[in-house]
Amino acid sequence: MIITMDAEKEKNVKHFLDLIQKSRKGKFKVYIGMSAGVGKTYRMLQEAHTLLKKGIDVKIGYVETHNRKETHELLDGLPVIPRRTIFYKGKELEEMDVQAIINLRPEIVIVDELAHTNIEGSKNEKRWQDVLEILEAGINVISAVNIQHIESLNQNVKQITNIDVQERVPDNVLRLADEVVNIDLTSDELITRLKEGKIYTEDKIQSALNNFFKSEQILQLRELALKEVASQVVRKVENEVPKNTALRHEKLLACISSNDKTAKIVIRKTARLASYYNSSWYLLYVETPKESSDKIALDKQRYLINNFKLATELGAEIIKVQSAKITDTILEVVQQKNITTVCIGKPHLNLFEVILSSNVFNKLLNNLSSSNIDLVILS
């Protein structure tokens, strides 16, 4: 009995300490832009100077000026935390010194290029993981990222630019931000900055104009950035403004199959919807008897594992059910989890074909419609 009481006391103390620690977490501000050169780093450094003049202990944790004259000049007068030197493949390279930042405990630290991949051998693989560690230590962070680095927008960006961006930031990292600020320029203003040599050196300007910096691409990336910041505002309103009880709380369910090679699209688009509605979401995989682990091909198993990993990174809870009745299982999960929106792939996707070919498809539609549940068929 004494052991049980002690254990209970310890649990209560830990819970209280966790609450205290959570309240001590640093605040997180992110500048977001449609591309390189819009002025995110410049704006962060301007803000650092303003904070310093007000007596705030602000330090530069990591800033990349890309040798842009106007931006580089703004570093003058700002306290910079020395970078950590790492020897990698015979070269001396530099990374942000996370431990030095935590030891110095500035009130605010500026950390550029949130999507950066750290050099092999660093404590964390990604800089956004460094930032989370700094925030956990109670230090406020101002950072920056381009819209093409947001995980759930990967396919959209690839379609616009024909570039598969490798360095990506999970959406839930951006959702942790207390403030997201869009640094906006028109496509003409951005191209003018490029031609004036304010973004890249002269030898790279023409190549940039022929590739990434095309007016139609910039416009589309600008739209993505504006939409992202708008959705952040919606989330802030829903979190901070007293809720109207008449409004329903959205919960989304994405459904995929093992044969669905385009499941990543369904996952990313559902994540975007969940992000827009500031809602929780789930990924459902129904394992039919013919898809048991001893029968399914290895390549399909890899697809599933990768899709589960992606969905988890984008904030989903994975639900895996063994059943021969796909539609009935979907309806059961919808009821159990109080789902408001079911997301499936468009007709050429395997899962939809399975449902459509079954004689209970009408049952799915009737049940969802009678329960005021949306069915979204994603392209």
Side-chain angles (χ1 to χ4, degrees):
M1 177 64 73
I2 294 173
I3 294 173
T4 305
M5 289 293 289
D6 286 346
E8 188 63 32
K9 284 180 182 177
E10 190 175 326
K11 183 179 177 183
N12 289 336
V13 170
K14 185 179 183 304
H15 176 67
F16 184 61
L17 289 174
D18 287 343
L19 288 175
I20 293 173
Q21 187 62 40
K22 190 174 287 187
S23 69
R24 288 177 179 171
K25 280 185 181 179
K27 297 295 183 182
F28 187 25
K29 180 176 184 177
V30 179
Y31 283 104
I32 196 167
M34 58 186 167
S35 78
V38 294
K40 301 180 301 301
T41 304
Y42 189 87
R43 183 68 67 85
M44 284 196 299
L45 294 176
Q46 279 185 321
E47 185 168 353
H49 276 284
T50 302
L51 291 166
L52 204 60
K53 286 175 183 175
K54 291 182 178 181
I56 305 296
D57 180 16
V58 58
K59 287 182 171 58
I60 306 300
Y62 191 100
V63 157
E64 186 55 73
T65 65
H66 297 285
N67 296 316
R68 292 167 191 156
K69 185 175 179 292
E70 293 174 346
T71 306
H72 196 79
E73 286 173 351
L74 277 176
L75 278 172
D76 290 343
L78 293 175
V80 178
I81 296 174
R83 298 179 184 181
R84 187 167 59 97
T85 301
I86 299 176
F87 287 93
Y88 179 66
K89 293 185 177 179
K91 293 182 179 179
E92 186 176 289
L93 304 172
E94 292 182 334
E95 282 289 10
M96 180 172 70
D97 196 332
V98 179
Q99 196 55 53
I101 292 169
I102 293 173
N103 291 343
L104 287 168
R105 299 194 65 80
E107 194 169 345
I108 300 172
V109 65
I110 307 295
V111 179
D112 207 354
E113 298 193 345
L114 191 62
H116 171 78
T117 300
N118 292 331
I119 299 165
E120 193 174 318
S122 300
K123 181 181 178 183
N124 297 313
E125 183 187 352
K126 299 286 187 178
R127 185 164 292 158
W128 59 262
Q129 294 170 322
D130 293 338
V131 166
L132 295 186
E133 193 173 329
I134 293 167
L135 290 168
E136 286 287 342
I139 300 166
N140 304 304
V141 177
I142 300 174
S143 191
V145 69
N146 286 328
I147 193 66
Q148 63 262 34
H149 296 290
I150 306 303
E151 177 64 65
S152 66
L153 292 174
N154 180 252
Q155 292 300 314
N156 302 64
V157 172
K158 188 175 181 179
Q159 188 176 357
I160 294 168
T161 65
N162 202 29
I163 296 170
D164 188 7
V165 178
Q166 297 301 310
E167 293 187 317
R168 304 195 288 269
V169 176
D171 290 49
N172 60 347
V173 173
L174 210 60
R175 290 180 71 171
L176 291 173
D178 299 278
E179 190 176 356
V180 177
V181 180
N182 183 41
I183 304 298
D184 188 38
L185 291 177
T186 66
S187 59
D188 288 343
E189 286 172 330
L190 186 61
I191 290 171
T192 298
R193 281 179 55 79
L194 175 65
K195 289 179 177 178
E196 289 174 348
K198 293 181 178 179
I199 300 175
Y200 297 132
T201 52
E202 191 174 341
D203 58 312
K204 295 179 180 177
I205 293 174
Q206 194 55 51
S207 176
L209 287 169
N210 294 338
N211 294 287
F212 194 86
F213 284 78
K214 292 178 180 176
S215 182
E216 64 273 18
Q217 291 184 3
I218 293 169
L219 283 170
Q220 291 177 82
L221 292 171
R222 185 187 185 197
E223 182 185 19
L224 288 180
L226 290 169
K227 283 182 177 179
E228 178 59 37
V229 175
S231 68
Q232 292 285 339
V233 172
V234 170
R235 282 195 288 275
K236 198 170 180 64
V237 168
E238 292 194 355
N239 286 333
E240 298 182 12
V241 176
K243 295 204 171 29
N244 181 346
T245 53
L247 295 174
R248 73 174 185 174
H249 178 65
E250 298 288 340
K251 278 191 175 183
L252 283 73
L253 178 69
C255 304
I256 65 167
S257 77
S258 64
N259 291 321
D260 186 0
K261 293 183 179 180
T262 54
K264 282 184 171 61
I265 296 172
V266 175
I267 291 168
R268 285 193 170 105
K269 287 198 172 185
T270 305
R272 290 301 297 169
L273 286 172
S275 179
Y276 177 79
Y277 287 115
N278 192 27
S279 64
S280 54
W281 71 285
Y282 305 84
L283 179 73
L284 173 63
Y285 166 61
V286 183
E287 183 186 288
T288 59
K290 67 179 182 180
E291 293 180 329
S292 59
S293 56
D294 60 331
K295 293 179 182 178
I296 190 172
L298 283 174
D299 61 333
K300 289 181 181 178
Q301 288 187 40
R302 282 195 295 270
Y303 278 132
L304 276 174
I305 291 168
N306 290 335
N307 288 334
F308 290 161
K309 182 182 176 184
L310 175 63
T312 302
E313 288 174 352
L314 291 174
E317 180 182 324
I318 309 299
I319 302 173
K320 185 178 176 182
V321 181
Q322 293 179 332
S323 174
K325 298 179 179 179
I326 295 177
T327 306
D328 287 350
T329 304
I330 292 173
L331 293 172
E332 286 171 11
V333 172
V334 163
Q335 188 174 14
Q336 289 168 6
K337 299 294 184 181
N338 297 316
I339 299 298
T340 61
T341 304
V342 175
C343 301
I344 60 177
K346 67 180 181 181
H348 77 267
L349 299 183
N350 179 269
L351 176 70
F352 191 89
E353 290 173 350
V354 170
I355 296 172
L356 191 60
S357 62
S358 67
N359 56 11
V360 288
F361 181 62
N362 285 335
K363 179 182 176 182
L364 176 67
L365 289 178
N366 290 336
N367 273 269
L368 295 182
S369 60
S370 63
S371 305
N372 193 29
I373 295 167
D374 298 327
L375 175 65
V376 177
I377 301 172
L378 297 167
S379 62

